[in-house]
């Protein structure tokens, strides 16, 4: 028989949104259960220095997330290492099925499943994934000591990854499809001052080229978007940093979505299109996508859930 657990509030996700919801829902005496998912701590565990978390001039992303987990736990949140594979929102109590076999029933649900790295969708990218192609510099940068690396993208992630990779690489080429970066000015300044980084404007990745035995990257073929000219850049590592898509698999057929998959919430609240289901953080937010805004929405979701439960029970 499957183990069944009932809770007033089920929080799905353990990034800044989920843990903050855990702190607030615990303090509201709702005895929440938080299911962590495949990436305990969320996206910030894949980075190093975080310099815009209020109260910390600089903090390591993974350390911040360990602190958030401890905070939620100390307030009384039950934190479970499981992955929700199905979520039935047709009736209350809602039912979530865990990969462990546990069935969770909940009077209210807070969705905080965040976002995942996007890929370009090239067959050669797929072929070399894990063998020279990566979307996480902090996870894989170490393997490219003394090698040449390319980074694709022009946002904060691409620029931070390029800067981080200079710790290992002999040279980093940032390849961007325009001649203007989306990244914050402070990061752009650091990028342009770094002698190890070259920027290649108006170019896109066409193909990753490499060997079969051993499987590994030797170069990338890039296209000038203005002239269509194709050139090759030798490199051993390719870091794709072209943004993130909302992790909406559990609700893409049951909740209202916008902008290509972000869960829609009623303006000024975290209420979704199903009463009793709240959403917070990068899952709902196509615009700001920051740790602090996600945490803020996690707080709002717990307060919204508390109000909903007191009105309905
Ligand atoms: P996430 O952090 O994405 O967490 C989602 C959580 O949901 C994870 O724990 C995952 O395991 C869980 N989950 C997903 N699916 C399931 C499921 N089916 N069942 C159970 N759990 C599930 N922001 C800043 O403010 N400052 C920075 O310096 C900064 N640096 C960044 C560096 C990098 C490399 C990246 C990628 C992002 C960075 N960001 C930064 C953005 C920031 O990390 C995100 O805005 C923030 O983490 C979003 O929080 P979240 O709680 O919405 O979701
Ligand atoms: P992003 O801001 O969406 O930037 C994605 C970049 O990839 C853009 O420059 C985009 O180009 C490019 N791109 C998208 N699709 C492409 C494609 N198919 N081919 C080539 N290039 C493509 O994503 P992000 O950098 O991952 O950042 C996500 C969020 O996390 C942001 O809100 C960001 O502020 C936050 N974040 C914050 C920090 C920090 O505070 N230090 C660090 C990392 C991330 P265009 O510019 O031409 O659209």
């Amino acid at each position: 028989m499957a183990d069944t657990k009932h809770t007033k509030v089920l929080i799905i996700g353990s990034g800044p949104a989920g843990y903050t919801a855990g702190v607030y829902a615990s303090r509201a005496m709702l005895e929440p259960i938080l299911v962590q998912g495949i990436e305990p701590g969320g996206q910030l565990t894949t980075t190093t220095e975080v310099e815009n978390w209020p109260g910390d001039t600089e903090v390591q992303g993974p350390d911040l997330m360990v602190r958030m987990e401890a905070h939620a736990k100390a307030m009384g949140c039950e934190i479970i290492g499981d992955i929700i594979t199905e979520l039935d929102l047709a009736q209350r109590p809602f039912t979530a099925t865990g990969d462990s076999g546990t069935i969770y029933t909940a009077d209210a649900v807070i969705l905080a499943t965040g976002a995942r790295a996007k890929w370009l969708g090239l067959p050669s990218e797929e072929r070399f994934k894990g063998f020279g192609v990566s979307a996480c510099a902090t996870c894989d940068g170490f393997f490219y000591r003394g090698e040449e690396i390319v980074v694709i993208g022009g946002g904060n992630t691409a620029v931070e990854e390029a800067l981080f990779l200079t710790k290992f690489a002999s040279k980093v080429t940032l390849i961007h499809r325009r001649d203007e970066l989306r990244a914050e000015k402070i990061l752009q300044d650091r990028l342009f001052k770094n002698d190890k980084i070259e920027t290649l404007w108006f170019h896109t990745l066409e193909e990753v080229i490499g060997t079969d035995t051993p499987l590994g990257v030797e170069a990338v073929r890039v296209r000038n978007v203005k002239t269509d000219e194709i050139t090759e850049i030798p490199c051993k590592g390719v870091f794709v940093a072209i943004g993130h898509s909302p992790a909406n698999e559990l609700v893409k057929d049951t909740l209202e979505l916008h902008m290509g998959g972000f869960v829609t919430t009623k303006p000024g609240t975290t209420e979704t299109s199903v009463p009793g289901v709240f959403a917070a953080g990068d899952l709902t937010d196509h615009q700001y996508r920051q740790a602090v805004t996600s945490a803020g929405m996690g707080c709002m979701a717990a307060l919204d859930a508390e109000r909903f439960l007191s009105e309905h029970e």
Side-chain angles (χ1 to χ4, degrees):
M1 258 272 295
D3 183 20
T4 300
K5 276 176 165 292
H6 181 76
T7 177
K8 291 191 189 102
V9 181
L10 176 67
I11 301 166
I12 307 178
S14 57
Y19 283 144
T20 307
V23 168
Y24 276 80
S26 302
R27 286 173 52 83
M29 311 299 271
L30 295 174
E31 299 171 344
I33 288 180
L34 182 152
V35 177
Q36 288 180 306
I38 202 160
E39 190 175 55
Q43 290 171 67
L44 281 190
T45 61
T46 69
T47 191
T48 49
E49 292 89 9
V50 174
E51 297 177 348
N52 49 16
W53 180 255
D56 286 308
T57 312
E58 185 182 305
V59 58
Q60 294 292 309
D63 292 347
L64 178 61
M65 295 321 298
V66 166
R67 278 167 34 195
M68 280 196 209
E69 177 179 353
H71 189 174
K73 208 180 269 178
M75 293 297 121
C77 183
E78 185 180 350
I79 295 174
I80 298 181
D82 200 355
I83 301 167
I84 302 299
T85 53
E86 266 177 62
L87 182 61
D88 183 352
L89 301 178
Q91 59 186 31
R92 284 207 316 130
F94 305 116
T95 307
T97 308
D99 191 48
S100 62
T102 303
I103 306 287
Y104 304 88
T105 57
D107 301 325
V109 169
I110 295 176
L111 297 162
T113 50
R116 294 202 189 99
K118 276 191 203 161
W119 294 95
L120 288 161
L122 303 169
S124 57
E125 173 191 61
E126 193 55 43
R127 177 170 163 226
F128 291 108
K129 244 183 224 173
F131 295 89
V133 173
S134 167
C136 177
T138 47
C139 318
D140 300 327
F142 181 78
F143 300 116
Y144 301 95
R145 216 164 262 274
E147 305 285 6
E148 297 193 6
I149 289 176
V150 301
V151 175
I152 318 290
N156 275 340
T157 303
V159 173
E160 281 195 344
E161 302 237 310
L163 287 164
F164 177 76
L165 288 165
T166 59
K167 292 185 188 182
F168 312 101
S170 56
K171 179 182 170 190
V172 177
T173 306
L174 183 83
I175 301 172
H176 184 37
R177 61 185 178 183
R178 298 188 289 141
D179 66 344
E180 203 181 322
L181 298 170
R182 217 174 258 280
E184 286 168 30
K185 292 287 176 269
I186 190 169
L187 293 175
Q188 295 195 28
D189 256 18
R190 287 180 202 163
L191 181 93
F192 296 134
K193 280 186 192 145
N194 195 308
D195 294 339
K196 277 191 174 180
I197 303 178
E198 198 171 286
T199 43
L200 185 62
W201 303 121
F202 294 119
H203 277 76
T204 52
L205 180 65
E206 284 289 294
E207 192 183 354
V208 184
I209 306 166
T211 51
D212 278 330
T213 41
L215 195 55
V217 171
E218 294 291 328
V220 286
R221 199 166 279 153
V222 293
R223 183 172 65 86
N224 182 318
V225 296
K226 296 197 154 230
T227 63
D228 271 344
E229 190 191 346
I230 303 281
T231 40
E232 267 184 31
I233 304 173
C235 62
K236 293 284 182 202
V238 181
F239 287 80
V240 179
I242 59 163
H244 287 74
S245 328
N248 63 13
E249 297 80 6
L250 293 173
V251 294
K252 64 182 187 325
D253 299 322
T254 45
L255 293 184
E256 214 173 277
L257 308 175
H258 68 284
M259 295 283 293
F262 293 88
V263 170
T264 303
T265 51
K266 199 167 133 196
T269 77
T270 58
E271 293 168 22
T272 68
S273 50
V274 171
V277 180
F278 304 88
D282 279 14
L283 174 67
T284 70
D285 176 14
H286 68 274
Q287 204 172 356
Y288 302 107
R289 293 176 294 164
Q290 302 295 307
V292 68
T293 49
S294 298
M297 285 185 254
C299 155
M300 289 165 64
L303 297 178
D304 288 345
E306 182 189 7
R307 195 173 47 245
F308 172 85
L309 291 172
S310 65
E311 280 168 7
H312 288 81
E313 271 147 37

